[in-house]
């Protein structure tokens, strides 16, 4: 049973420029027929007056429910929270599964608003009401950063593909074709013929200035470049018009790098500003004690989690990140092709995946980043596929993150044997 079973409830079906609102009395009857409000000051104030009416009528606080709709619900949600009202956000998966219970196939905004109000009033669902402006801003900045990186990756692939057409073999000269030295060469010489015709001293000087390496490396790289250019001159598709594409890709990548660096600087400034709570800053430092987990990843995970108090056990956090297994069973049938549900936070899952990859790698000195997780990964590889074993690492990391945030203690590298010993000791002490 919902904790608002005896309270008046408000259901709001949010759209881009307006919303439909339905209000239920404490007994479940419709107190106010569904009505429309515009997303402006007058519309929001009208909603506020209607909510006050039902609260004064029954001398009870009301509960307001709306589903998450990208960015459309945020201004209304913030307005309601700023007026100290109990406003809650429902996952669209919950509302979609409850909206079409009737035999008749009817769907409109009025019916959806009533359905949302009934879900909030009668169903025992999970809804969140957390809204910290600074944390929300950080989450938005982190997501924008990842989107920029994805866009940059697309242009890097495009540049690499174009070079394979007009300059085959170029990628064998430079490990990163979008690196500082490589882009300097491409800005000045867009075709193999340009490389061949250019004076050796000019290219050597350009290599030396951009790479800051010795003359031996510069001469070796020049020789590789000339060899690749002579080969490309024979097998490449020659067209002067391709230079526009090459320069365009480079300019776009550099522009994205500039934007990404600006966002990263803003994230760092926001985290360590006076607007951010000391608790959040402390949690960032705590998560960074996990080997392979850096600053951006820590901030991303914390902002995606939001209010940690909503999670009572690690399994809930696992489901929130969408790495819980989907289940497909019917009668005697049990599917053996179950995958991750992927119904949680996509950006949080991405950050967690990056940490999992870093956790099973070795450092430059040959030492494991996280010896315990690496051994666990290798053990899983005996009977599982690589991706399945990696998801198991992500599960472990969720347990670590949950324990760190719950106990407010730094990460400690412990073997499974030590964990088992500590568990048995705690169990015996509790029994005594």
């Amino acid at each position: 049973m919902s904790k608002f079973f005896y309270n008046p409830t408000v259901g709001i079906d949010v759209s881009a420029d307006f919303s439909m609102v339905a209000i239920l009395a404490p007994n479940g009857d419709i107190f106010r027929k569904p009505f429309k409000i515009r997303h402006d000051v007058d519309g929001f104030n009208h909603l506020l007056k209607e909510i006050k009416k039902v609260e004064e009528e029954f001398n009870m606080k009301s509960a307001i429910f709306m589903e998450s709709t990208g960015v459309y619900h945020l201004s209304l949600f913030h307005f309601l929270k700023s007026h100290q009202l109990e406003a809650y956000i429902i996952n669209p998966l919950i509302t979609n599964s409850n909206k079409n219970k009737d035999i008749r196939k009817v769907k409109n905004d009025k019916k959806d608003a009533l359905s949302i109000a009934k879900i909030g009033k009668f169903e025992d669902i999970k809804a969140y009401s957390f809204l910290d402006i600074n944390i929300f801003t950080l989450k938005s900045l982190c997501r924008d950063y990842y989107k920029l990186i994805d866009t940059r990756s697309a242009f890097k692939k495009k540049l690499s593909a174009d070079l394979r057409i007009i300059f085959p073999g170029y990628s064998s000269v430079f490990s990163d074709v979008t690196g500082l030295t490589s882009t300097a060469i491409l800005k000045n010489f867009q075709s193999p013929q340009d490389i061949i015709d250019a004076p050796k001293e000019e290219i050597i000087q350009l290599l030396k200035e951009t790479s800051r390496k010795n003359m031996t490396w510069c001469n070796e790289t020049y020789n590789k470049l000339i060899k690749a250019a002579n080969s490309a001159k024979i097998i490449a598709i020659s067209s002067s018009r391709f230079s526009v594409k090459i320069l365009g890709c480079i300019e776009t990548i550099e522009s994205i790098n500039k934007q990404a660096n600006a966002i990263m600087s803003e994230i760092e400034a926001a985290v360590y500003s006076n607007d951010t709570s000391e608790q959040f800053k402390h949690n960032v430092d705590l998560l960074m004690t996990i080997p392979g987990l850096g600053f951006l990843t820590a901030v991303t995970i914390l902002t995606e989690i939001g209010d940690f108090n909503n999670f009572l056990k690690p399994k809930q956090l696992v489901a929130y990140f969408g790495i819980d297994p989907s289940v497909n069973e019917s009668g005697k049938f049990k599917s053996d092709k179950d995958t991750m549900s992927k119904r949680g936070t996509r950006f949080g899952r991405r950050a967690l995946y990056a940490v999992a990859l870093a956790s099973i790698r070795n450092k430059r000195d040959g030492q494991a980043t996280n010896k315990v997780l690496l051994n666990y990964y290798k053990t899983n590889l005996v009977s599982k596929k690589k991706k399945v074993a990696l998801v198991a690492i992500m599960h472990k990391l969720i347990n670590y993150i949950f324990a760190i945030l719950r106990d407010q203690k730094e990460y400690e590298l412990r073997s499974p044997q030590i964990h088992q010993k500590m568990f048995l000791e705690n169990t015996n002490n509790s029994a005594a």
Side-chain angles (χ1 to χ4, degrees), residues 170 174 179-186 206-207 210-212 217 221:
Y170 183 84
F174 299 99
L180 185 62
T181 306
S182 175
T183 53
I185 293 294
L186 290 173
L206 190 60
L207 291 171
T210 54
S211 67
R212 295 182 181 179
W217 181 88
T221 303

Side-chain angles (χ1 to χ4, degrees), residues 74-94:
L74 290 174
S75 59
L76 177 57
F77 182 65
H78 174 59
F79 176 82
L80 295 171
K81 294 295 290 183
S82 65
H83 284 79
Q84 287 74 49
L85 294 172
E86 289 195 59
Y88 297 88
I89 302 296
I90 306 175
N91 192 311
L93 290 171
I94 296 174

Side-chain angles (χ1 to χ4, degrees), residues 37-105:
I37 62 165
R38 299 287 303 177
H39 285 191
D40 53 31
V41 175
D42 293 336
F44 287 1
N45 285 330
H46 176 62
L47 173 62
L48 202 60
K49 289 179 182 178
E50 294 298 326
I51 293 172
K52 294 296 181 184
K53 284 181 183 179
V54 70
E55 291 183 345
E56 291 172 0
E57 176 75 19
F58 299 102
N59 195 25
M60 300 174 70
K61 295 290 290 182
S62 60
I64 307 157
F65 295 89
M66 65 187 78
E67 65 180 3
S68 176
T69 53
V71 297
Y72 300 141
H73 71 282
L74 290 174
S75 59
L76 177 57
F77 182 65
H78 174 59
F79 176 82
L80 295 171
K81 294 295 290 183
S82 65
H83 284 79
Q84 287 74 49
L85 294 172
E86 289 195 59
Y88 297 88
I89 302 296
I90 306 175
N91 192 311
L93 290 171
I94 296 174
T95 56
N96 289 336
S97 63
N98 284 272
K99 281 179 180 177
N100 298 316
K101 287 184 176 180
D102 298 333
I103 294 176
R104 291 185 63 202
K105 189 174 182 180

Side-chain angles (χ1 to χ4, degrees), residues 88-136:
Y88 297 88
I89 302 296
I90 306 175
N91 192 311
L93 290 171
I94 296 174
T95 56
N96 289 336
S97 63
N98 284 272
K99 281 179 180 177
N100 298 316
K101 287 184 176 180
D102 298 333
I103 294 176
R104 291 185 63 202
K105 189 174 182 180
V106 179
K107 186 190 183 304
N108 56 48
D109 293 340
K110 293 181 180 180
K111 186 175 177 61
D112 288 346
L114 275 171
S115 178
I116 292 171
K118 290 177 181 178
I119 290 170
K121 183 172 182 60
F122 299 113
E123 303 287 342
D124 185 16
I125 59 170
K126 291 182 179 179
Y128 71 89
S129 61
F130 175 79
L131 182 63
D132 183 309
I133 300 300
N134 200 49
I135 300 302
F136 170 76

Side-chain angles (χ1 to χ4, degrees), residues 98-365:
N98 284 272
K99 281 179 180 177
N100 298 316
K101 287 184 176 180
D102 298 333
I103 294 176
R104 291 185 63 202
K105 189 174 182 180
V106 179
K107 186 190 183 304
N108 56 48
D109 293 340
K110 293 181 180 180
K111 186 175 177 61
D112 288 346
L114 275 171
S115 178
I116 292 171
K118 290 177 181 178
I119 290 170
K121 183 172 182 60
F122 299 113
E123 303 287 342
D124 185 16
I125 59 170
K126 291 182 179 179
Y128 71 89
S129 61
F130 175 79
L131 182 63
D132 183 309
I133 300 300
N134 200 49
I135 300 302
F136 170 76
T137 304
L138 274 170
K139 179 167 74 170
S140 180
L141 287 171
C142 289
R143 289 185 171 188
D144 285 348
Y145 181 85
Y146 283 117
K147 289 174 183 177
L148 281 174
I149 297 304
D150 289 341
T151 304
R152 185 181 66 182
S153 297
F155 276 94
K156 282 185 175 182
K157 290 179 181 178
K158 185 177 181 299
L159 177 62
S160 180
D162 289 340
L163 287 172
R164 288 183 181 276
I165 296 173
I166 65 171
F167 205 149
Y170 183 84
S171 58
S172 64
V173 180
F174 299 99
S175 57
D176 180 11
V177 296
T178 59
L180 185 62
T181 306
S182 175
T183 53
I185 293 294
L186 290 173
K187 282 181 180 179
N188 289 274
F189 317 104
Q190 287 90 50
S191 69
Q193 189 61 51
D194 291 340
I195 295 287
I196 296 170
D197 294 341
K200 179 179 179 180
E201 296 76 16
E202 183 180 347
I203 297 179
I204 291 290
Q205 184 63 27
L206 190 60
L207 291 171
K208 185 177 180 181
E209 289 176 355
T210 54
S211 67
R212 295 182 181 179
K213 293 186 178 181
N214 56 39
M215 288 300 297
T216 302
W217 181 88
C218 293
N219 280 296
E220 289 177 354
T221 303
Y222 173 79
N223 292 332
K224 291 179 182 178
L225 200 56
I226 289 296
K227 184 178 179 181
N230 285 320
S231 176
K233 186 179 177 182
I234 301 171
I235 63 175
I237 299 176
S238 179
S239 175
S240 59
R241 302 188 186 280
F242 269 106
S243 62
V244 176
K245 296 183 68 178
I246 298 297
L247 292 174
C249 278
I250 292 174
E251 288 177 5
T252 303
I253 291 169
E254 290 178 341
S255 176
I256 292 173
N257 285 336
K258 186 178 179 180
Q259 293 178 57
N261 291 335
I263 289 179
M264 179 56 69
S265 298
E266 194 62 33
I267 291 172
E268 292 173 352
V271 168
Y272 297 113
S273 69
N274 294 329
D275 296 330
T276 304
S277 66
E278 293 300 322
Q279 182 63 58
F280 185 87
K281 297 174 185 177
H282 182 58
N283 286 340
V284 170
D285 293 335
L286 286 176
L287 290 190
M288 287 175 64
T289 61
I290 301 176
L293 200 154
F295 172 78
L296 178 64
T297 309
V299 175
T300 301
I301 289 173
L302 286 173
T303 53
E304 292 295 331
I305 288 175
D307 187 3
F308 178 71
N309 295 322
N310 290 331
F311 303 94
L312 302 178
K313 50 188 177 181
K315 284 187 177 180
Q316 293 176 344
L317 203 57
V318 167
Y320 184 74
F321 275 81
I323 58 174
D324 55 321
S326 58
V327 179
N328 185 13
E329 296 180 4
S330 180
K332 294 182 179 180
F333 171 77
K334 291 186 179 181
S335 174
D336 58 353
K337 296 181 180 180
D338 297 331
T339 58
M340 285 193 303
S341 67
K342 292 186 178 180
R343 284 194 167 187
T345 162
R346 175 169 63 91
F347 291 93
R349 188 164 57 251
R350 172 179 179 163
L352 199 64
Y353 179 76
V355 181
L357 285 176
S359 300
I360 59 175
R361 290 178 182 150
N362 290 322
K363 300 176 184 177
R364 291 184 178 180
D365 58 2

